């Protein structure tokens, strides 16, 4: 639990860093704005048609009594929205990172400069980081589908589907989001997705502590535009912790 609360604290510190550096906050908001417009439209369309979609995936309940049919479709609706939230947040983070790679590279560089980082970094071309972001985003999206599919069917279980399943979805979303928002500091050191995942697994609760508040706040419409830059800034701090770098307070900008 200490690691979990440390991850939450890093997320808060990410907000603090960007509040003191409003220019960096604006830079980080640009890719999030573009991605939010697209995904928010998709989520609104899903919710507007949730009754029809829930009936579409529960044809077996057509002949059931009214109470059982409504319960099955309510469970299906909860499962569909939960799965969409998980895939949407993982996809949102992946697309935001892919589109905003150069922006977040600049933010990570400035934060690490303020922290007095002296580690030699790789100077990656923008296109190489873009391709790496696309590849890793697809891999993480496919992995999230592996977890989403059984959770979707578990959503039909009485009580469990409406209580335990949403909690599991939130935790899995937090984990996948953390894998994304810490990517840039690892990329800058030549560390790819596989090794990054292995390192974060050893500090899983630290990653969840970073990703959970970010994931929950991103569910509030439009707030993701501000949350994502803060999550990426917090990701720099988490990455430094996982990599064993000494943690120091960032210097105030002159």
């Amino acid at each position: 639990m200490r690691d979990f609360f440390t991850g939450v604290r890093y997320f808060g510190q990410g907000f603090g860093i960007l509040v003191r550096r409003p220019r960096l906050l604006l830079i980080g908001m640009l890719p999030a704005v573009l991605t939010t417009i697209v995904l928010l439209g998709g989520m609104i369309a899903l919710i507007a048609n949730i009754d029809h979609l829930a009936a579409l995936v529960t044809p077996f309940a057509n002949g059931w009594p009214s109470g059982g049919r409504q319960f099955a479709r309510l469970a299906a609706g909860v499962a569909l929205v939960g799965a969409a939230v998980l895939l949407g947040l993982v996809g949102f983070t992946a697309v935001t990172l892919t589109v905003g790679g150069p922006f977040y590279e600049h933010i990570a560089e400035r934060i690490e400069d303020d922290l007095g980082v002296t580690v030699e970094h790789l100077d990656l071309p923008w296109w190489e980081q873009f391709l790496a972001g696309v590849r890793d985003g697809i891999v993480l999206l496919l992995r999230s589908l592996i977890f989403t599919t059984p959770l979707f069917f578990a959503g039909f279980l009485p009580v469990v589907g409406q209580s335990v399943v949403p909690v599991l979805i939130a935790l899995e979303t937090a984990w996948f989001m953390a894998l994304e928002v810490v990517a840039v500091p690892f990329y800058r050191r030549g560390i790819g997705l596989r090794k990054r995942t292995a390192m974060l697994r050893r500090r899983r609760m630290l990653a969840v502590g970073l990703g959970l508040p970010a994931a929950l706040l991103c569910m509030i419409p439009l707030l993701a535009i501000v949350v994502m830059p803060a999550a990426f800034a917090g990701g720099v701090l988490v990455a430094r912790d996982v990599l064993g770098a000494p943690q120091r307070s960032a210097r105030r900008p002159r």
Side-chain angles (χ1 to χ4, degrees):
M1 292 306 296
R2 181 182 299 176
D3 256 0
F4 175 79
F5 288 115
T6 300
V8 174
R9 176 164 56 84
Y10 285 152
F11 175 72
Q13 287 179 352
F15 261 117
I17 289 171
L18 294 185
V19 166
R20 296 193 298 270
R21 306 290 294 269
R23 184 170 175 272
L24 289 184
L25 177 60
L26 290 174
I27 290 173
M29 287 172 60
L30 291 176
V33 168
L34 297 175
T35 311
T36 297
I37 292 172
V38 175
L39 293 185
L40 188 59
M43 185 61 69
I44 290 172
L46 172 68
I47 294 173
N49 294 280
I50 194 64
D51 291 339
H52 174 70
L53 292 173
L56 192 64
V57 299
T58 56
F60 54 83
N62 289 340
W64 290 9
S66 177
R69 184 172 63 252
Q70 290 178 359
F71 179 82
R73 289 177 177 169
L74 174 63
V78 171
L80 283 170
V81 172
V85 168
L86 172 58
L87 295 176
L89 288 176
V90 173
F92 174 83
T93 312
V95 173
T96 302
L97 177 60
T98 301
V99 172
F103 298 90
Y104 295 119
E105 165 78 16
H106 175 72
I107 290 173
E109 182 179 358
R110 295 303 299 269
I111 292 174
E112 292 196 321
D113 284 347
D114 286 346
L115 292 169
V117 175
T118 57
V119 177
E120 193 69 28
H121 297 138
L122 295 179
D123 188 13
L124 295 177
W126 72 266
W127 58 267
E128 187 174 333
Q129 185 168 320
F130 175 81
L131 292 177
V134 171
R135 182 189 65 243
D136 291 355
I138 292 173
V139 170
L140 289 175
L141 192 60
L142 292 175
R143 288 182 185 175
S144 68
L145 279 172
I146 294 173
F147 290 98
T148 301
T149 302
L151 289 176
F152 170 78
F153 289 107
F156 292 99
L157 298 174
V159 182
V160 173
Q162 293 73 52
S163 56
V164 177
V165 170
V167 173
L168 293 178
I169 288 175
L171 292 175
E172 288 302 329
T173 303
W175 167 247
F176 285 114
M177 176 169 281
L179 282 174
E180 290 281 9
V181 298
V182 303
V184 172
F186 282 96
Y187 282 152
R188 298 183 73 214
R189 293 164 171 82
I191 300 174
L193 176 61
R194 180 177 298 179
K195 188 174 180 181
R196 177 170 91 235
T197 303
M199 295 176 74
L200 282 179
R201 278 197 183 116
R202 294 194 287 268
R203 303 287 301 280
R204 185 181 291 270
M205 291 309 296
L206 179 68
V208 172
L210 170 69
L212 187 59
L216 294 176
L217 289 173
C218 280
M219 294 179 188
I220 302 174
L222 303 181
L223 193 58
I225 294 171
V226 178
V227 171
M228 287 308 300
F232 278 104
V236 175
L237 304 178
V238 167
R240 285 173 48 76
D241 193 332
V242 171
L243 291 165
Q247 297 292 335
R248 290 186 290 237
S249 299
R251 298 191 299 266
R252 289 185 178 274
R254 295 188 179 90

